[in-house]
Amino acid sequence: MTAVSMLFSAAVLGTRALAAPAPTDPPQPPTTAQQEQGMRTGDPFRDPVTADATGDNQNLNITLDVGQSVFDVSGRPVAGQVYNNGTVVAPTLKVSAGSTVTIKLVNRLPVATNLHFHGMHVSPTDDSDNSFSCVSPGATITYRLAVPADHPQGTFWYHSHAMGTMCAANGAHNMSDMAFEPGQTQNQIFAGLSGAMIVGDNRSLLPVGLRNATAHTLVLKDAQIDAAGRIVQNTISPANPTVRLVNGQLRPTLTLKPNETQLWRLVNAGADIPYQLRLDGYRFTVVAEDGIPVAQVSTRDTLVLPPGKRFDVLVTACAVPGQAVLHTTTYTNGPQGGTYPDTQLATIKVDGWPVTRQPAVTGAIPGAPADLAPAAVAGRRTVELGELQEGDNFYFVLNGRKFAADSSLFDTPARLGTVEEWTIVNTTEENHPFHLHTNAFQVMSVNGVPQPYTHREDTAMVPASSGGVPGKIVIRIPFADYPGKWMFHCHIAAHEDLGMMSYLDVVR
């Protein structure tokens, strides 16, 4: 079996396996209970460490020094990869619309790395959100993001988007001329290289009585920890036991006062597995999705967050003291995808003196973008999500092709100022979260069922094939502001690493 299939077959196939068994069975990974030994539960909930602008200009300027480290996970030492000798959850970057964000990335890893600012509507070129940038071991690069003055206020995130272990042979910070090799995104996100990014403060968009509400950021990540206390690398399998963490804490306790409404910024900043959130006895009031204010507030019993997904929700406590459990319920990611058990994430405690209950929020949130249904469609494209076996190597592909850094999936570019309609077809038997860089899109239909307009998003689940009939979503994409290479891919990190990724050239 080749290096590609040895390193990635378990990670990408979930409960499936390649045909030939190993001569001897590999050691069984530790159970979740074994991985949690030495960890505390029930600690008071803590928001991630934040990095925000200082002074009057609101321009964030920060250095992210990335390296291998041993950090604390609820009392247990764990080895992984971190920024600035931090924890498994990177610092939350708080930035302002209309500001310039300067981030110096120093690479002390033995392999290449870079950054992607997921969901941010900024330029995908040069030293901005350019996923083709490559930072060699020992090298430094400086990112400069010019955040538009009208950028949506909401929740975004950032993470490694490394498309290989090394940079181009000429040492340039550019991967565009490299041959395909499995990426490092899964390894690096899984080891700790991801965190939240918040633009502005969307409490200012809420009714007056909620503009000073307590806001919390909940970064959801899982970790598979081996017997030596290291976060697993290269042989990550979504089917293996894992520890589900909230801001790097194991089952913390988050407290609200009776009748209090809080804003929770929910981020799935993990590499591969989804969350299906439920708060027993409560409902989530969704005011933003993927960082963008919604055109119609909705109230839901459960929220599905595939990797990369964000929701900003209001949660209102009951009128009397008590407790509830926030958990991710049992979820199956399609017939050939993984099945993930019900797992408690946090205890929600209602305690203290009651406060005045605020009216329910309804309707549109200020700043919600317009419905794209009436828009003129300048072009239509189809993206097929599939699988490819080449000898012992297994890949995930788009339109039958592995990712090629020097070649777009499409020969014809898109033009700024136009709207296109794309059909995303899933021929596999597992769900895939489809993500577009640079701008959000609107889902028009799912498996042929029209969807009323309530929001835009940058990460949407494409349902699995069923009974031989491919799953399908139809989306509309507004190409605004920025020429360059707009990337798109499955956001199960193992899948993008193994080829389910491409880009579209966008021109003026």
Side-chain angles (χ1 to χ4, degrees):
M1 187 177 290
T2 68
V4 171
S5 54
M6 287 176 65
L7 290 176
F8 289 92
S9 61
V12 301
L13 297 178
T15 56
R16 293 171 286 169
L18 295 179
T24 58
D25 290 333
Q28 290 298 306
T31 66
T32 296
Q34 289 169 333
Q35 295 177 57
E36 292 178 354
Q37 286 180 2
M39 296 185 188
R40 298 184 305 272
T41 62
D43 281 358
F45 170 91
R46 297 190 307 270
D47 284 282
V49 172
T50 61
D52 52 15
T54 58
D56 297 329
N57 60 13
Q58 295 301 300
N59 292 329
L60 177 66
N61 192 322
I62 187 175
T63 296
L64 293 178
D65 196 318
V66 55
Q68 297 172 319
S69 181
V70 176
F71 44 82
D72 179 275
V73 177
S74 284
R76 178 181 177 180
V78 173
Q81 298 171 2
V82 295
Y83 298 112
N84 300 349
N85 289 317
T87 72
V88 72
V89 173
T92 296
L93 306 183
K94 291 190 174 181
V95 306
S96 299
S99 71
T100 299
V101 179
T102 303
I103 300 174
K104 181 191 292 185
L105 181 65
V106 181
N107 184 13
R108 303 188 193 280
L109 296 174
V111 295
T113 191
N114 67 1
L115 287 172
H116 167 48
F117 305 94
H118 183 123
M120 292 291 291
H121 183 57
V122 293
S123 172
T125 64
D126 300 326
D127 57 1
S128 185
D129 186 25
N130 182 357
S131 294
F132 289 91
S133 294
C134 183
V135 189
S136 298
T140 297
I141 192 172
T142 299
Y143 290 88
R144 295 177 179 86
L145 310 181
V147 184
D150 61 352
H151 195 286
Q153 298 185 70
T155 303
F156 303 86
W157 68 300
Y158 66 102
H159 59 85
S160 165
H161 206 289
M163 293 188 283
T165 57
M166 302 302 292
C167 300
N170 62 7
H173 296 307
N174 193 328
M175 288 182 160
S176 61
D177 61 349
M178 293 174 63
F180 176 81
E181 67 165 300
Q184 287 291 302
T185 302
Q186 181 197 38
N187 273 337
Q188 294 187 12
I189 290 178
F190 204 69
L193 301 186
S194 64
M197 187 170 187
I198 297 171
V199 178
D201 186 346
N202 56 354
R203 288 176 296 183
S204 66
L205 308 177
L206 299 175
V208 173
L210 291 171
R211 291 179 186 171
N212 292 313
T214 295
H216 289 304
T217 301
L218 285 74
V219 177
L220 309 175
K221 297 179 76 170
D222 71 295
Q224 295 174 21
I225 304 168
D226 68 18
R230 300 167 301 200
I231 293 180
V232 172
Q233 296 282 273
N234 297 323
T235 56
I236 302 162
S237 171
N240 283 348
T242 193
V243 179
R244 303 259 197 165
L245 301 168
V246 179
N247 296 346
Q249 294 180 275
L250 182 64
R251 297 190 284 280
T253 299
L254 191 160
T255 301
L256 298 85
K257 298 173 182 176
N259 292 326
E260 180 186 10
T261 298
Q262 294 186 354
L263 175 69
W264 293 359
R265 296 170 171 138
L266 306 170
V267 184
N268 183 350
D272 297 309
I273 68 175
Y275 287 74
Q276 183 166 259
L277 297 184
R278 184 178 182 89
L279 178 56
D280 292 337
Y282 289 86
R283 305 189 78 193
F284 303 103
T285 299
V286 178
V287 295
E289 184 164 344
D290 286 347
I292 301 175
V294 298
Q296 179 61 54
V297 171
S298 60
T299 304
R300 309 189 200 176
D301 294 318
T302 60
L303 295 170
V304 176
L305 284 81
K309 194 71 178 173
R310 292 95 62 215
F311 286 100
D312 289 33
V313 301
L314 299 174
V315 176
T316 300
C318 60
V320 297
Q323 289 189 348
V325 172
L326 176 67
H327 55 124
T328 179
T329 62
T330 302
Y331 184 84
T332 298
N333 199 42
Q336 289 187 334
T339 296
Y340 307 101
D342 189 297
T343 303
Q344 180 178 341
L345 300 176
T347 297
I348 308 305
K349 183 179 180 181
V350 179
D351 193 27
W353 291 101
V355 299
T356 301
R357 195 176 190 88
Q358 295 296 315
V361 177
T362 59
I365 300 298
D371 185 1
L372 291 175
V377 175
R380 290 178 167 83
R381 305 178 197 259
T382 298
V383 177
E384 182 180 288
L385 314 177
E387 299 169 345
L388 176 67
Q389 187 92 34
E390 291 183 345
D392 287 337
N393 292 337
F394 184 91
Y395 300 99
F396 288 94
V397 293
L398 298 177
N399 292 3
R401 294 169 51 184
K402 302 187 296 290
F403 173 66
D406 61 351
S407 176
S408 169
L409 196 66
F410 300 109
D411 294 331
T412 305
R415 293 201 171 271
L416 290 178
T418 66
V419 173
E420 292 191 355
E421 186 170 278
W422 290 21
T423 300
I424 317 300
V425 179
N426 184 1
T427 62
T428 77
E429 293 189 339
E430 62 181 308
N431 304 329
H432 293 282
F434 178 85
H435 170 54
L436 174 70
H437 291 207
T438 311
N439 210 5
F441 52 82
Q442 180 177 330
V443 176
M444 309 303 294
S445 67
V446 178
N447 283 345
V449 179
Q451 301 295 297
Y453 175 56
T454 60
H455 63 279
R456 290 191 196 171
E457 56 198 298
D458 59 56
T459 305
M461 194 73 93
V462 187
S465 173
S466 178
V469 178
K472 180 175 69 175
I473 66 172
V474 176
I475 65 175
R476 288 192 177 179
I477 304 169
F479 292 97
D481 300 322
Y482 301 114
K485 299 180 189 298
W486 289 34
M487 298 199 76
F488 53 92
H489 54 84
C490 173
H491 217 294
I492 296 173
H495 294 184
E496 67 176 272
D497 281 345
L498 281 187
M500 193 175 268
M501 177 165 64
S502 189
Y503 63 88
L504 177 68
D505 289 306
V506 178
V507 298
R508 296 190 185 278

